Amino acid sequence: MSNCLSSLQSVTTSSSLISLPVVGADLGIREDQLQWILSAYALSSGCLLIPFGRLADLYGRRMIFIVGCVLQGAFALGCGFANDLVTIGVLRGFQGLGAAATIPASLGILAHAFPPGNARSLAFATFSAGQPLGGGVGFALGGLLTEFAPATWRSMFFVVAGLSVLCIAGALLLVERDRPSTEQDKRVDWLGAILVTAGLTLVVFVLSDGEVAPRQWSTPYIIALLVVGVVLTTAFFVWQWYLERPSVRETYSRWTPPPLMKISLWSRGNGRFAAMQCIVFFLMCAFQSWLLWTVLYYETYQNYTPVLSMIRMLPMIPAGILCNIFIGLLVGKIPGVVLIAIGCLCTGIAGLLFALINPAASYWAFGFPAAVLTVVGADFVFAGGSLFVAKLALPHEQSLAGGLFQTMAQLGIAFGCCY
């Protein structure tokens, strides 16, 4: 139950998305800066999933899950009282720390509780069902509260804080305490954590701010930050490669802890692990771009109210739930590569429908099929990819592998917000 409630906290993203025009008008935020309300959350959660995944594997997934829920709820409450872009952007970034903790911990809890087989497939499908369900609920509540609640868009952040309390209660009552980690060396590669977090943060910041900087991409600080970000990210991979070398692992040193992310993990399954990471990155980039521009199209071009925009996104809820029921029942009978290929095709078609949309045409001609297809695509790839990654990871790597998968997904979302 706590894992499903954790997925339901995705309402914070979808509710923030549908209320963006209202937030911009209320706080005086320019349209080209509104994406920071979304990307700040995706950026912090995506860049910190790997360190939190490692901590969950070492010190207990249940404990890290609860810590993440506390962070999620506390900073969501703070967002409800924000009065300018800087404040809400910073608080959204800290709120992303909660997602960075709860997501890999949840995946680790599921992978540990269910051995490979139909039961695990159904468990992961149930977890994935919380994503579209939470997104759909976020669209519905976000639209209704933004238009009718006295506190408008702020009300949704208060709802997320309440959901976080439910998650904490569910974890305390229903999730068993973790057994001690079987790893002999329980040190954490803090240098690697700093390198990957700083590097990815700078790269995504540059991609988000490059077009709106004073001199756009030729602005000196944009160029400098991009170079530093690439150097730090490259240094992270080199450092991980060094820590994984047999000669280093055979000789104990206080300066060489176990790698935060084994480079060899990317070669698992004859390189299919790495291919899956690339697929989920680009798919979530396309999915988030579709969501962002669809809402802006409805509310700024068609001049629909948040409620009318929300109604046009509602088909995503039943489509997402039916998809995950289908995956849970038939994933053992259908090759995962087929599910993933169908998912990518559906998301691509959804994007084409809005690229070629006729504004004068009926909603049922373009908007409805796009809303159904985009969530089918994301769910097929997300659920199938999660199962695939869990299958390739070792027992003590489940949260880390799940965190890496989610990192690529969250970075895809951040990149999607940029464009």
Side-chain angles (χ1 to χ4, degrees):
M1 179 179 291
S2 60
N3 295 317
C4 292
L5 286 173
S6 174
S7 295
L8 282 174
Q9 290 191 74
S10 62
V11 298
T12 186
T13 299
S14 55
S15 62
S16 299
L17 178 59
I18 202 162
S19 63
L20 278 183
V22 178
V23 176
D26 188 22
L27 301 184
I29 302 173
R30 298 200 317 264
E31 186 174 303
D32 59 352
Q33 295 179 328
L34 284 175
Q35 51 87 17
W36 274 110
I37 298 176
L38 302 177
S39 58
Y41 180 88
L43 178 59
S44 61
S45 60
C47 293
L48 289 165
L49 281 161
I50 294 177
F52 273 114
R54 172 66 175 167
L55 292 174
D57 283 330
L58 285 178
Y59 300 114
R61 292 145 188 162
R62 179 175 179 262
M63 182 187 71
I64 297 298
F65 177 87
I66 293 173
V67 170
C69 290
V70 172
L71 293 173
Q72 182 90 284
F75 288 107
L77 189 63
C79 288
F81 295 99
N83 290 310
D84 57 76
L85 176 61
V86 174
T87 301
I88 196 171
V90 171
L91 290 174
R92 286 281 287 167
F94 280 111
Q95 189 187 2
L97 297 177
T102 57
I103 291 174
S106 297
L107 292 171
I109 290 170
L110 289 178
H112 179 74
F114 296 93
N118 292 331
R120 174 181 282 190
S121 299
L122 184 59
F124 272 86
T126 302
F127 179 86
S128 298
Q131 300 288 336
L133 180 59
V137 170
F139 277 122
L141 289 179
L144 291 171
L145 293 175
T146 298
E147 189 160 347
F148 298 115
T152 65
W153 58 270
R154 302 176 187 272
S155 303
M156 203 58 234
F157 288 110
F158 301 147
V159 171
V160 172
L163 285 176
S164 299
V165 175
L166 291 179
C167 289
I168 294 170
L172 292 173
L173 295 174
L174 302 175
V175 179
E176 296 181 0
R177 292 183 179 273
D178 292 275
R179 297 177 181 178
S181 173
T182 57
E183 288 191 76
Q184 295 181 349
D185 194 341
K186 296 181 174 61
R187 292 176 296 166
V188 178
D189 177 20
W190 293 112
L191 175 59
I194 293 172
L195 289 173
V196 68
T197 301
L200 292 178
T201 299
L202 291 176
V203 169
V204 178
F205 170 81
V206 167
L207 292 173
S208 299
D209 216 49
E211 288 293 329
V212 297
R215 293 167 56 186
Q216 296 186 319
W217 291 98
S218 60
T219 306
Y221 77 81
I222 291 292
I223 298 174
L225 292 179
L226 178 60
V227 171
V228 174
V230 171
V231 169
L232 290 176
T233 304
T234 303
F236 167 74
F237 282 99
V238 172
W239 176 239
Q240 299 307 292
W241 169 80
Y242 173 77
L243 292 180
E244 195 180 358
R245 294 176 61 190
S247 59
V248 175
R249 297 269 45 89
E250 292 171 1
T251 305
Y252 180 87
S253 171
R254 60 182 298 186
W255 306 110
T256 55
L260 187 67
M261 180 195 71
K262 294 180 179 178
I263 298 299
S264 60
L265 188 64
W266 291 80
S267 63
R268 300 270 178 89
N270 295 321
R272 286 177 291 179
F273 183 93
M276 189 66 248
Q277 307 306 314
C278 294
I279 289 171
V280 75
F281 172 84
F282 287 111
L283 182 125
M284 293 308 294
C285 181
F287 178 72
Q288 185 64 28
S289 297
W290 183 91
L291 288 177
L292 176 61
W293 290 108
T294 297
V295 169
L296 292 176
Y297 168 78
Y298 283 141
E299 295 192 25
T300 61
Y301 182 78
Q302 296 283 19
N303 293 318
Y304 291 144
T305 65
V307 169
L308 291 177
S309 299
M310 171 271 293
I311 291 173
R312 284 158 175 78
M313 309 297 280
L314 281 181
M316 297 173 67
I317 300 178
I321 294 174
L322 291 175
C323 279
N324 283 281
I325 292 174
F326 173 82
I327 291 171
L329 296 176
L330 299 179
V331 70
K333 303 176 182 179
I334 300 178
V337 66
V338 174
L339 287 176
I340 294 169
I342 293 174
C344 293
L345 180 63
C346 288
T347 301
I349 294 174
L352 284 176
L353 284 171
F354 263 82
L356 304 175
I357 194 170
N358 178 4
S362 168
Y363 163 75
W364 303 101
F366 292 91
F368 175 77
V372 172
L373 288 173
T374 192
V375 77
V376 169
D379 284 350
F380 272 30
V381 173
F382 198 87
S386 296
L387 287 167
F388 181 78
V389 167
K391 182 179 179 181
L392 291 178
L394 299 176
H396 65 275
E397 298 174 336
Q398 291 296 328
S399 292
L400 177 61
L404 179 58
F405 179 80
Q406 292 284 343
T407 295
M408 299 304 293
Q410 292 297 320
L411 288 177
I413 290 174
F415 276 75
C417 290
C418 301
Y419 297 101

